[in-house]
């Protein structure tokens, strides 16, 4: 079943077209990745899916329902959550308070709190150790884990991950990708935006390449990893 | 100098009383700033309307200082309720009329500021012209005791008789002094807990720290903005009654100076910082009192605003210097 359909999406920043006629779909249970260079429109796409950017043309459907004009805060209870670029954790709140913010829109958040926290702490044991720490004082890797854990607290059907590996040490990147795999295995659909294209393609069921606001290639992750022109352009030349 | 030393206790207690009022009004500035990064210049009128609501309730009931303690407390509580409700409503009205559309359009801050200043003048003048309004509506006779001499001082008859409770040195601390300081502290603690523990309070903190990330959590920013105006308004209403209990008069344009002082208190404590608002209020109240004892009471406002200038020069982020978002309160 198709969970998310994006159809001919156009988004502008003032007069500048940030993305143009972007069309793709995310199947339930899949990992789908958008890759591309800086400024290709990956983050704009995710922000638009979360309702943070106005759509100029095109449509977004979630579980068959048109949500193109739906305000951001109503999309979370519907089942879309995001771990944004730059983590955007609440620096003046503790780790626990940040995680509680993730469940802000859930009516049954009090009842399910301990189960939800346990799920997050199983994926990110580090967060449990730091539960009382002020989030702004944590390392970049820990903040990334917190941003992802926070996004899971709303029990999303679809989680949008924007550059989860940005600025992290190679060892941590491995860890984050292995956790992304765990999240998929728990049944959450993932739309992953990455500059770390090789890793993203390896984990993805389906991948789209964005170039200056347009989708220029698509295929399964394996297909694109094997493609020479993709390797040359996005995977650091001849590997 | 000897005047200051001889009257130190009195100056301190009355400074704290004044500071409590400043602090409660300052909360409205600080909360709205935390969430919107805007100075709500119409907040002074929120306080002013609350003060009139308190006066009118006591006029309507007609209870004087000789009606007994139980009646007095009942009347004061009713006046408190009326002031809080009216101030809260005026704050919501300001948000609706002067702000909401501009916020939605993401208008430049200067535009919004000017809109707020306009709302402030309009509200003050409406109160100052209430006799004409009543006349135009044909209600002049019915409302006469409320709209009489609209541009003069309006007196508040405190149903609670002021009496001494205990002495510190030569100064007798009164029941009203105690009520004002304790009420302000109770309101502050309640607000602190509200922001820290309640669902709405967490939403306010989240929007203050990162409004876009808050939206990604499912926080409805517009609802949080309204809640912030409402809470600030309710605090200003409480401050209005406390002010009247001590100073006994209000006026259509009394909001202006008090508003600027409360804004000063908010900046002193660190704008956006809830605990800073109360601290700033107390510091300002004390500084005004000590300062006017040293150089003469006609210099009171000079002392207050010089203090503001000095603090801004040497510690621009205020005494506690954190934003609403960063403060763990």
């Amino acid at each position: 079943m198709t969970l998310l359909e994006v159809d001919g999406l156009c988004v502008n920043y003032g007069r500048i077209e940030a993305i143009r006629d972007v069309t793709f779909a995310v199947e339930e249970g899949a990992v789908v990745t958008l890759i591309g260079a800086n400024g290709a429109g990956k983050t704009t796409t995710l922000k638009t899916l979360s309702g943070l950017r106005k759509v100029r043309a095109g449509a977004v459907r979630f579980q068959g329902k048109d949500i193109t004009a739906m305000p951001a805060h109503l999309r979370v209870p519907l089942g879309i959550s995001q771990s944004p670029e730059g983590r955007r954790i609440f620096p003046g709140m503790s780790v626990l308070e940040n995680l509680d913010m993730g469940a802000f829109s859930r009516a049954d958040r009090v009842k399910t709190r301990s189960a939800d926290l346990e799920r997050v702490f199983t994926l990110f044991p580090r967060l449990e150790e730091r539960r009382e720490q002020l989030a702004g004082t944590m390392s970049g890797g820990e903040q990334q884990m917190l941003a992802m854990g926070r996004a899971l607290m709303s029990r999303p059907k679809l989680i949008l991950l924007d550059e989860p590996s940005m600025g992290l040490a190679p060892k941590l990147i491995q860890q984050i990708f292995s956790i992304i795999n765990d999240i998929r295995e728990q049944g959450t659909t993932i739309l992953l935006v990455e500059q770390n294209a090789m890793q993203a393609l390896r984990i993805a069921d389906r991948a789209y390449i964005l170039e200056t606001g347009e989708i220029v290639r698509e295929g399964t992750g394996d297909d694109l990893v094997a493609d020479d022109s993709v390797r040359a352009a996005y995977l650091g030349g001849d590997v | 100098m000897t005047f200051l030393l001889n009257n130190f206790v009195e100056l301190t207690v009355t400074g704290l009383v004044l500071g409590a009022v400043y602090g409660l009004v300052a909360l409205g500035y600080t909360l709205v700033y935390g969430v919107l990064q805007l100075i709500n210049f119409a907040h002074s009128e929120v306080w002013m309307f609350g003060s009139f609501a308190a006066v009118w309730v006591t006029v309507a009931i007609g209870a004087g200082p000789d009606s007994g303690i139980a009646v007095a407390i009942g009347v004061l509580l009713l006046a408190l309720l009326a002031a809080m409700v009216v101030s809260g409503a005026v704050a919501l009205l300001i948000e609706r009329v002067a702000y909401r559309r501009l916020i939605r359009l993401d208008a430049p801050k200067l535009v919004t500021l000017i809109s707020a200043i306009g709302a402030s003048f309009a509200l003050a003048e409406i109160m100052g012209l209430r006799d004409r309004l009543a006349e135009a509506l044909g209600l002049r006779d019915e409302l006469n005791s409320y709209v009489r001499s609209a541009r003069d001082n309006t007196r508040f008859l405190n149903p609670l008789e002021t009496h001494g409770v205990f002495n510190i040195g030569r100064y007798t601390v009164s029941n009203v002094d105690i009520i004002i300081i304790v009420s302000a502290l109770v309101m502050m603690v309640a607000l602190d807990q509200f922001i820290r523990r309640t669902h709405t309070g967490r939403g306010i903190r989240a929007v203050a720290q990162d409004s876009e990330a808050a939206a990604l959590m499912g926080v409805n920013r517009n609802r949080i903005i309204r809640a912030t105006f409402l809470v600030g308004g309710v605090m200003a209403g409480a401050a209005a009654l406390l002010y009247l209990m001590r100073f006994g008069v209000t006026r259509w344009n009394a909001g202006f100076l008090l508003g600027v002082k409360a804004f000063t208190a908010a900046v002193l404590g660190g704008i956006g910082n809830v605990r800073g608002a109360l601290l700033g209020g107390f510091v300002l109240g004390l500084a005004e009192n000590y300062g006017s004892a040293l150089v003469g009471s006609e210099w009171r406002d000079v002392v207050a605003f010089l203090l503001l200038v000095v603090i801004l020069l040497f510690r621009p982020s205020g005494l506690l210097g954190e934003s609403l978002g960063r403060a763990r309160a």
Side-chain angles (χ1 to χ4, degrees):
Chain A
M1 199 192 105
T2 307
L3 189 59
L4 176 80
E5 292 166 84
V6 178
D7 190 4
L9 198 65
C10 302
V11 176
N12 278 29
Y13 283 124
R15 292 221 182 110
I16 301 158
E17 288 185 309
I19 55 174
R20 192 165 48 249
D21 198 22
V22 164
T23 299
F24 65 94
V26 178
E27 296 295 316
E28 195 162 351
V31 174
V32 173
T33 186
L34 301 176
I35 60 175
N38 252 340
K42 308 186 297 290
T43 294
T44 301
T45 306
L46 288 201
K47 283 191 168 174
T48 308
L49 295 180
S50 279
L52 297 177
R53 293 290 175 267
K54 266 209 192 88
V55 173
R56 186 170 64 80
V60 179
R61 279 182 294 276
F62 186 72
Q63 294 185 304
K65 187 183 172 198
D66 189 318
I67 60 164
T68 314
M70 182 183 272
H73 65 95
L74 296 180
R75 298 186 191 210
V76 184
L78 216 58
I80 303 176
S81 82
Q82 180 171 167
S83 161
E85 183 183 27
R87 295 132 198 172
R88 305 288 285 271
I89 48 120
F90 299 108
M93 294 188 193
S94 70
V95 168
L96 267 184
E97 286 177 313
N98 265 279
L99 292 175
D100 282 335
M101 279 312 299
F104 188 87
S105 63
R106 289 174 59 82
D108 57 351
R109 63 184 175 277
V110 180
K111 221 168 44 193
T112 61
R113 183 171 187 258
S114 54
D116 289 339
L117 283 176
E118 195 181 317
R119 177 188 179 201
V120 169
F121 289 150
T122 309
L123 287 168
F124 306 101
R126 194 57 172 269
L127 294 181
E128 187 164 23
E129 292 164 27
R130 310 246 152 168
R131 49 197 292 161
E132 300 299 337
Q133 189 173 336
L134 219 53
T137 65
M138 298 201 302
S139 73
E142 289 163 347
Q143 291 189 9
Q144 185 57 54
M145 293 175 187
L146 180 56
M148 290 170 68
R150 186 180 65 173
L152 287 170
M153 287 295 286
S154 66
R155 298 200 174 178
K157 298 186 179 81
L158 170 68
I159 186 168
L160 313 175
L161 300 176
D162 197 345
E163 305 258 14
S165 75
M166 187 158 61
L168 302 185
K171 205 173 144 193
L172 256 176
I173 293 178
Q174 290 307 325
Q175 203 184 335
I176 293 281
F177 273 98
S178 120
I179 290 167
I180 292 173
N181 215 18
D182 294 344
I183 294 172
R184 180 240 298 266
E185 275 165 18
Q186 291 177 3
T188 307
T189 308
I190 296 168
L191 178 57
L192 171 69
V193 154
E194 261 299 336
Q195 282 203 62
N196 196 330
M198 182 60 102
Q199 294 267 18
L201 289 176
R202 277 200 185 126
I203 201 175
D205 299 303
R206 188 143 197 94
Y208 297 84
I209 299 181
L210 270 171
E211 231 171 63
T212 57
E214 285 177 289
I215 289 181
V216 293
R217 292 281 313 260
E218 63 172 283
T220 66
D222 295 338
D223 285 349
L224 295 187
V225 171
D227 186 295
D228 284 340
S229 64
V230 172
R231 293 177 81 92
Y234 299 102
L235 305 177
D238 51 334
V239 186
Chain B
M1 195 62 176
T2 46
F3 182 77
L4 172 65
L5 292 177
N6 288 337
N7 297 279
F8 188 75
V9 174
E10 174 171 4
L11 291 168
T12 304
V13 174
T14 54
L16 290 176
V17 166
L18 192 59
V21 174
Y22 290 157
L24 284 178
V25 181
L27 284 173
Y29 289 101
T30 250
L31 283 168
V32 169
Y33 183 85
V35 167
L36 289 175
Q37 284 80 52
L38 284 170
I39 304 298
N40 176 17
F41 257 97
H43 187 59
S44 46
E45 271 36 79
V46 171
W47 173 87
M48 185 271 288
F49 267 78
S51 72
F52 275 93
V55 168
W56 290 339
V57 163
T58 53
V59 171
I61 297 173
D66 47 358
S67 21
I69 182 93
V71 176
I73 291 174
V75 172
L76 281 179
L77 286 177
L78 273 179
L80 177 69
L81 187 69
M84 285 170 139
V85 167
V86 167
S87 286
V90 171
L92 287 179
L93 181 76
I94 291 168
E95 187 273 336
R96 178 71 192 83
V97 176
Y99 281 90
R100 191 177 302 174
R101 194 177 147 71
L102 293 174
I103 293 167
R104 190 172 304 155
L105 294 174
D106 207 8
K109 301 239 189 284
L110 184 62
V111 174
T112 320
L113 182 73
I114 291 167
S115 166
I117 292 173
S120 176
F121 280 117
L123 286 168
E125 287 295 341
I126 284 170
M127 185 57 83
L129 294 169
R130 62 189 184 280
D131 50 344
R132 313 265 183 96
L133 280 175
E135 195 137 26
L137 294 168
L139 296 169
R140 182 69 213 234
D141 293 336
E142 289 86 336
L143 297 177
N144 194 38
S145 48
Y146 304 97
V147 302
R148 196 171 36 205
S149 51
R151 292 188 99 75
D152 297 333
N153 281 342
T154 300
R155 287 191 55 211
F156 173 74
L157 281 181
N158 192 347
L160 189 70
E161 211 178 338
T162 306
H163 58 78
V165 178
F166 57 87
N167 293 308
I168 304 176
R170 290 191 301 129
Y171 181 68
T172 309
V173 180
S174 77
N175 54 347
V176 170
D177 293 335
I178 295 170
I179 289 173
I180 292 174
I181 295 173
V182 170
S183 310
L185 288 174
V186 168
M187 302 280 301
M188 287 302 292
V189 171
L191 180 73
D192 209 67
Q193 292 298 311
F194 170 77
I195 289 182
R196 196 200 309 243
R197 303 218 187 272
T198 66
H199 195 234
T200 305
R202 282 162 193 252
I204 290 175
R205 290 174 61 202
V207 172
Q209 291 183 33
D210 188 333
S211 142
E212 207 171 73
L216 290 178
M217 305 297 114
V219 179
N220 180 349
R221 179 167 178 251
N222 293 326
R223 203 183 73 80
I224 291 296
I225 290 171
R226 286 197 289 281
T228 306
F229 273 85
L230 178 64
V231 171
V234 166
M235 292 288 163
L241 178 70
L242 298 180
Y243 176 91
L244 288 173
M245 286 174 71
R246 174 77 206 192
F247 300 100
V249 293
T250 184
R251 196 184 159 95
W252 65 280
N253 60 357
F256 179 72
L257 188 61
L258 189 110
V260 177
K261 292 279 181 67
F263 170 66
T264 303
V267 174
L268 272 181
I271 189 130
N273 185 318
V274 168
R275 289 174 183 173
L278 187 68
L279 178 69
F282 282 141
V283 168
L284 186 66
L286 290 173
E288 276 191 15
N289 268 11
Y290 297 152
S292 41
L294 276 176
V295 295
S297 60
E298 65 274 26
W299 293 86
R300 165 176 291 272
D301 298 340
V302 177
V303 171
F305 296 119
L306 268 183
L307 178 68
L308 176 68
V309 170
V310 169
I311 293 270
L312 285 179
L313 282 177
F314 293 103
R315 200 170 158 78
S317 57
L319 295 171
L320 296 189
E322 298 163 302
S323 73
L324 175 67
R326 319 253 155 201
R328 293 205 63 198

